[in-house]
Amino acid sequence: MLAQAFASRAAADAVPVAPPGGEQRCGLIAIVGKPNVGKSTLLNALVGQKVSITSRKAQTTRHRITGMRTVGPTQFVFVDTPGFQTRHGNALNRSLNRTVVGAVNDVDLIVFVVEAGQFNQADDKVLSLLPPKTPAILLANKFDLIHRRADIAPWLKAMQERHNFAEFVPMSANHAKDVERLFGICEKYLPQQPWMYGAEELTDRSDRFMAAEIIREKLFRLTGDELPYTSTVVIDQYAEEGSLRRIAATIIVERDGHKGMIIGEKGEKLKRIGTEARHELETLTGGKVFLEIWVKVRSGWADDEARVKTFGYE
């Protein structure tokens, strides 16, 4: 299983191990922010394994993705959320926003991710969702791109006036030492209680879910900005035969023109999407994968509440 493949890596790998003894700590930490601010990249770095897909396209993350990391006596349960949608008020975006609101009201700690030195209307909308009684960390991502650190002081002062943040953490999600430091910062906000998951578990998502997400990632990466964000992936079959997986998937689009865009000339684009997805799935599962992908048109699905739920959205 993919979950077993994720768990094959020691959970404390590349992270300083806390001293033994004492009570176990465990808590939920929501990672929130506007679309495309680096939340999924941060989650993957914290978990030490890819559990949330990434692309340059906004609205890549559409589900509440849980990733776990156990360090010494403390288990960190990170929740990656979709970017809060302020445009396209369709059924899909309403579902995504419900996921964000539900996450921030059900955690022990919030990590609010912004680009260092930046703050716009989309950031402000997410900030307005943060419950005042839940401690929140202001994580200034891409801090390595700030050339004059003195310029950040006025921005930081303005951010503290907007919300009573518990801490300010300047970092880059691509720097291992920054990621390691974040564990120690988050730990003190988590309650003393038994772990929710096994020490080596890294995600609570199913194999079928991860297969759909990997295909969707390749779809977004290989079609660029031309393809509307409303395209999605449904797994029709996921069968295990020893180390072999047989997967059948359907890419759902809203228009015939989108279908042609995905298939490409002589089917080359769809073939490449399938090949790249299959290679990644084989790496994760450690076995052979037979993957079939079809493309179907479902006009207006993203504004149909029933279909949105049918396709797996909350």
Side-chain angles (χ1 to χ4, degrees):
M1 295 174 63
L2 279 180
Q4 292 173 333
F6 287 136
S8 64
R9 176 179 176 140
D13 218 11
V15 178
V17 178
E23 295 287 335
Q24 288 184 338
R25 286 183 179 271
C26 182
L28 290 166
I29 303 168
I31 302 174
V32 302
K34 67 183 179 184
N36 219 24
V37 77
K39 300 183 298 298
S40 295
T41 298
L42 175 62
L43 174 66
N44 292 338
L46 288 163
V47 172
Q49 176 67 274
K50 181 177 179 178
V51 296
S52 188
I53 65 173
T54 61
S55 82
R56 290 179 297 176
K57 195 177 187 70
Q59 294 112 354
T60 299
T61 299
R62 291 187 183 165
H63 301 270
R64 175 171 168 157
I65 310 290
T66 301
M68 295 81 77
R69 193 69 175 269
T70 303
V71 184
T74 302
Q75 185 170 87
F76 302 84
V77 183
F78 297 102
V79 180
D80 183 21
T81 60
F84 194 85
Q85 312 300 311
T86 56
R87 301 170 59 189
H88 310 294
N90 56 23
L92 174 60
N93 278 351
R94 289 194 293 273
S95 170
L96 303 187
N97 287 348
R98 285 195 296 271
T99 300
V100 178
V101 173
V104 298
N105 285 285
D106 190 31
V107 294
D108 302 291
L109 176 66
I110 296 170
V111 175
F112 177 52
V113 184
V114 295
E115 290 188 28
Q118 304 293 320
F119 189 82
N120 60 23
Q121 185 177 3
D123 295 303
D124 191 48
K125 182 61 180 178
V126 180
L127 183 61
S128 70
L129 302 175
L130 305 192
K133 294 184 179 180
T134 303
I137 290 173
L138 174 63
L139 192 152
N141 196 23
K142 305 179 183 179
F143 193 75
D144 53 322
L145 301 181
I146 300 294
H147 301 297
R148 291 172 47 118
R149 301 299 166 87
D151 294 343
I152 209 74
W155 174 82
L156 177 58
K157 184 175 184 296
M159 293 300 297
Q160 283 294 136
E161 290 172 353
R162 290 187 173 100
H163 187 87
N164 184 26
F165 290 103
E167 298 198 37
F168 164 59
V169 182
M171 65 172 287
S172 169
N174 294 317
H175 292 176
K177 289 185 177 180
D178 285 353
V179 173
E180 291 172 14
R181 182 166 54 91
L182 188 57
F183 282 99
I185 294 170
C186 292
E187 183 178 29
K188 56 182 174 286
Y189 296 99
L190 305 186
Q192 288 190 348
Q193 61 180 357
W195 297 342
M196 301 176 187
Y197 301 94
E200 292 189 352
E201 290 186 67
L202 298 182
T203 184
D204 66 343
R205 284 299 190 171
S206 70
D207 300 359
R208 292 176 70 100
F209 175 85
M210 292 305 303
E213 288 290 273
I214 287 169
I215 295 168
R216 192 164 62 86
E217 178 185 65
K218 306 313 174 191
L219 170 67
F220 282 170
R221 288 191 173 187
L222 293 174
T223 56
D225 294 330
E226 301 90 11
L227 186 69
Y229 81 101
T230 49
S231 305
T232 196
V233 176
V234 175
I235 299 298
D236 304 306
Q237 178 190 20
Y238 190 104
E240 296 183 37
E241 302 171 9
S243 62
L244 171 68
R245 272 80 174 168
R246 295 184 185 275
I247 304 172
T250 300
I251 296 173
I252 305 294
V253 296
E254 290 195 302
R255 298 179 183 176
D256 288 325
H258 303 159
K259 180 177 179 179
M261 189 185 305
I262 293 170
I263 294 174
E265 187 175 354
K266 297 181 179 179
E268 287 301 314
K269 181 65 67 66
L270 182 60
K271 181 180 179 181
R272 188 177 171 193
I273 291 169
T275 298
E276 293 199 10
R278 178 175 57 80
H279 287 166
E280 183 163 337
L281 286 165
E282 288 180 338
T283 298
L284 288 174
T285 63
K288 188 73 175 175
V289 172
F290 289 145
L291 176 61
E292 287 184 303
I293 303 178
W294 307 91
V295 185
K296 294 182 180 179
V297 178
R298 295 289 183 268
S299 180
W301 79 265
D303 203 22
D304 184 326
E305 294 280 358
R307 275 189 172 170
V308 166
K309 290 181 180 178
T310 299
F311 292 158
Y313 297 96
E314 298 176 5

